[in-house]
Amino acid sequence: MPTSTWFRLNVGKRERVLEVAMREFGGLGYSSGSLNTIAREAGIAKGSLFQYFSDKLEFFAYVCDEVSRRIREEMQRRIDALDVAQPFEGWLFDVFCEWTEYMAEHPLERAMLAAADFELDNNIRSVVRDTANQHYLQVIRPSLRSWRERGEIRGDADPDVLASLMMMLLPFLALAPYYEGLDPILNLRGRTPAEQRPVIRQLIAGLRPVYAVPGT
């Protein structure tokens, strides 16, 4: 957790530090991301960072957590605005489309997601991914439970399996259009959100046996 000194900074200064950190860590990752660069571009002394955070890992973890919180809150807002009178499959398609549009519109957040997912050190990746996963599951699990209660997801479907599949698809859809080598099959690389939609339909069709109510 950041120190109380961090929270006493004015909001504008905190936002500037976070923006610079997202750009640095998102572009270079945890190991190569430079605290010197972050401090210089944020207009603060490097020593000030250690008045806010105990070390580089705590700082990186905080930035990742803040990004995950922002993504969760915005996606929750977008999901709340979707049509829940439609079938589950239509809703799921809309959710994935909103997700890909958000990622296209927010390159810094997308880059931080990549920095966390691509981190080579297991211990560091575990710290940041565990927190991010909890943010996303706060949205996914209640949504799936609600759809199952409405009878749109088969009663014998394993909700943990469906949640796990969604948790695997979200990073894939977020990053495959922007990073080489992540999608050798469906060819998402370079596609706009609108161009990604046929692939999203293919992926949902692949999920159908997991959740589809017999006879639908």
Side-chain angles (χ1 to χ4, degrees), residues 19-171:
E19 180 184 343
V20 172
M22 289 164 65
R23 187 161 56 245
E24 180 71 6
F25 287 134
L28 298 175
Y30 170 77
S31 297
S32 297
S34 167
L35 296 184
N36 287 328
T37 299
I38 294 171
R40 183 179 67 252
E41 294 190 1
I44 61 174
K46 181 181 178 182
S48 295
L49 288 175
F50 295 107
Q51 294 177 356
Y52 310 148
F53 302 92
S54 61
D55 55 25
K56 184 180 181 181
L57 177 55
E58 185 179 68
F59 182 34
F60 180 65
Y62 177 78
V63 175
C64 289
D65 181 55
E66 179 65 14
V67 168
S68 297
R69 181 190 64 78
R70 293 180 182 187
I71 294 172
R72 171 178 58 80
E73 290 180 354
E74 175 59 16
M75 284 304 301
Q76 185 69 71
R77 186 192 67 77
R78 294 183 182 216
I79 288 170
D80 288 345
L82 295 178
D83 178 11
V84 294
Q86 64 182 319
F88 171 70
E89 188 162 309
W91 175 87
L92 187 59
F93 174 76
D94 287 347
V95 169
F96 284 151
C97 289
E98 290 289 348
W99 173 258
T100 56
E101 288 171 8
Y102 175 90
M103 289 299 162
E105 295 163 1
H106 295 81
L108 290 181
E109 285 81 355
R110 183 181 72 229
M112 282 302 303
L113 191 154
D117 279 10
F118 297 159
E119 172 57 47
L120 294 178
D121 187 303
N122 283 330
N123 293 326
I124 294 170
R125 189 175 62 254
S126 175
V127 168
V128 296
R129 287 305 311 161
D130 285 352
T131 302
N133 290 340
Q134 292 309 308
H135 278 289
Y136 302 148
L137 288 171
Q138 284 181 46
V139 178
I140 291 172
R141 280 185 163 142
S143 296
L144 293 179
R145 183 165 57 248
S146 175
W147 282 101
R148 191 176 186 185
E149 290 170 354
R150 291 173 53 184
E152 290 279 344
I153 295 176
R154 59 193 299 163
D156 62 348
D158 189 331
D160 288 339
V161 170
L162 187 50
S164 295
L165 291 171
M166 289 185 67
M167 289 289 286
M168 287 186 279
L169 281 176
L170 290 172

